[in-house]
Amino acid sequence: MTDRLNFSFDTINDWLEYVIATDIEVPADVEYPQFIIELDIRDETPVESDELIKAMHLKMQGSVLENTVWDQTIWHYNRRIPDELCFYLIENNLALTALGHTRQSHPVLLKLGHLVEEAALTLGKEIYQSDEYGLTDLKRVLNEFNDLYWLWESLIYVEASSEEKQLYFQNELYKRPEFTRIQEKSAEMETVDLIKETDSVEVIMKYYASGSPRILNQIAANPYTPIDILKKLADIKGVDFARNTRNLARENLLERTGKRFKP
């Protein structure tokens, strides 16, 4: 059984000042690490300076509670943590899960991404989607996380900031036989985009026959989908996105016919 010490403060700065000024003690009858801190911050006031977190680091360095104090602090610290502190945490294996779920600097995420996949995902998607980063940056991150399936899969669902990035990613993706499933999903996403834009009933009927839940979902929203198909989609069950597909088809029918669908 894990023992918890609960703290509640108005702001994260109040918590940091408390840690700096107080020696938090583990109860004598409890063996760490079965003892953790849980922190509640009532007001997410923006942090204006890193002075307090740097002072907290000096106070807690080497303490038996260092990991749990950092873990709780990171979740509530609404400012990017200084790189030198992030690298200290990485090198000492402290609060890595919490750190990996925050948006830190690119050098930090690049190193942390090999330990916490979420960090690599954050970095890769930001580089892929932002105009601030070019093709060279994308090449670097894809090379760095060459075998991270989750990252490669995630990029097929977001829009690249340039055609150059998109073409490079697609070319690299289709060179990888071990990523066949991602390639199939990517092709499906391209079809979804086609269905979203098409006014061709012939195209809609062609892809309706595929039975792909994601494609059916988009067909349900297309204003050119035949009424008889919409009625079938308005009552679809037992597939992924079924509820959303039913709702889209019913809204489409109401707009097209002026009547609510009745199963």
Side-chain angles (χ1 to χ4, degrees):
M1 181 177 179
T2 300
D3 287 271
R4 292 173 170 80
L5 187 58
N6 296 302
F7 290 99
S8 181
F9 292 90
D10 287 333
T11 70
I12 187 63
N13 281 348
D14 292 338
W15 158 249
L16 293 172
E17 289 172 349
Y18 176 84
V19 174
I20 294 165
T22 308
D23 291 325
I24 305 173
E25 296 183 359
V26 179
D29 59 342
V30 175
E31 292 185 7
Y32 188 82
Q34 283 71 40
F35 177 81
I36 63 173
I37 286 171
E38 288 192 346
L39 178 62
D40 174 44
I41 300 297
R42 292 184 288 267
D43 182 2
E44 295 295 330
T45 303
V47 177
E48 301 295 337
S49 164
D50 293 316
E51 291 182 10
L52 288 176
I53 202 168
K54 289 179 179 179
M56 185 210 77
H57 162 60
L58 294 176
K59 170 66 179 295
M60 296 307 300
Q61 191 169 4
S63 164
V64 70
L65 291 178
E66 185 176 18
N67 184 74
T68 188
V69 166
W70 267 110
D71 183 76
Q72 289 297 298
T73 300
I74 287 170
W75 291 118
H76 299 279
Y77 198 74
N78 50 40
R79 175 184 172 94
R80 182 173 288 176
I81 297 170
D83 281 7
E84 64 270 23
L85 295 186
C86 291
F87 288 126
Y88 169 81
L89 296 175
I90 293 170
E91 290 162 6
N92 290 276
N93 196 34
L94 296 169
L96 296 186
T97 298
L99 188 65
H101 284 77
T102 58
R103 190 178 294 277
Q104 302 302 329
S105 74
H106 280 205
V108 168
L109 293 176
L110 196 64
K111 187 169 185 177
L112 186 59
H114 291 285
L115 303 172
V116 183
E117 290 186 350
E118 183 70 35
L121 185 67
T122 297
L123 177 62
K125 290 174 72 173
E126 185 171 333
I127 286 174
Y128 193 60
Q129 293 180 279
S130 174
D131 289 326
E132 294 182 20
Y133 306 99
L135 182 59
T136 299
D137 299 302
L138 179 63
K139 288 181 177 179
R140 182 184 181 189
V141 77
L142 291 180
N143 181 65
E144 190 79 21
F145 302 105
N146 190 48
D147 297 321
L148 185 52
Y149 189 97
W150 189 23
L151 171 61
W152 286 74
E153 182 181 32
S154 73
L155 294 185
I156 71 173
Y157 296 109
V158 296
E159 184 176 350
S161 62
S162 70
E163 185 178 358
E164 184 181 41
K165 286 183 187 177
Q166 181 182 12
L167 289 175
Y168 176 79
F169 170 68
Q170 291 288 342
N171 287 336
E172 292 301 304
L173 174 63
Y174 282 92
K175 292 177 183 177
R176 306 288 295 276
E178 69 273 32
F179 286 165
T180 298
R181 182 61 185 131
I182 303 177
Q183 295 164 14
E184 292 171 352
K185 289 182 179 179
S186 178
E188 183 180 62
M189 293 303 297
E190 291 177 10
T191 300
V192 166
D193 289 339
L194 172 63
I195 295 297
K196 187 183 298 183
E197 302 295 333
T198 191
D199 59 1
S200 169
V201 172
E202 184 176 305
V203 170
I204 292 171
M205 296 303 295
K206 172 185 175 181
Y207 288 106
Y208 172 74
S210 74
S212 162
R214 196 179 296 276
I215 291 173
L216 294 180
N217 187 255
Q218 190 58 56
I219 288 175
N222 190 296
Y224 296 96
T225 297
I227 296 297
D228 60 324
I229 298 299
L230 285 179
K231 289 180 178 179
K232 292 178 182 179
L233 294 176
D235 200 33
I236 194 170
K237 297 173 184 175
V239 299
D240 291 342
F241 318 117
R243 182 176 181 180
N244 187 249
T245 299
R246 289 196 302 271
N247 290 339
L248 289 171
R250 291 174 185 184
E251 290 173 9
N252 200 345
L253 282 168
L254 178 61
E255 186 172 340
R256 301 261 297 279
T257 68
K259 299 178 181 180
R260 294 191 179 278
F261 174 80
K262 295 182 178 180

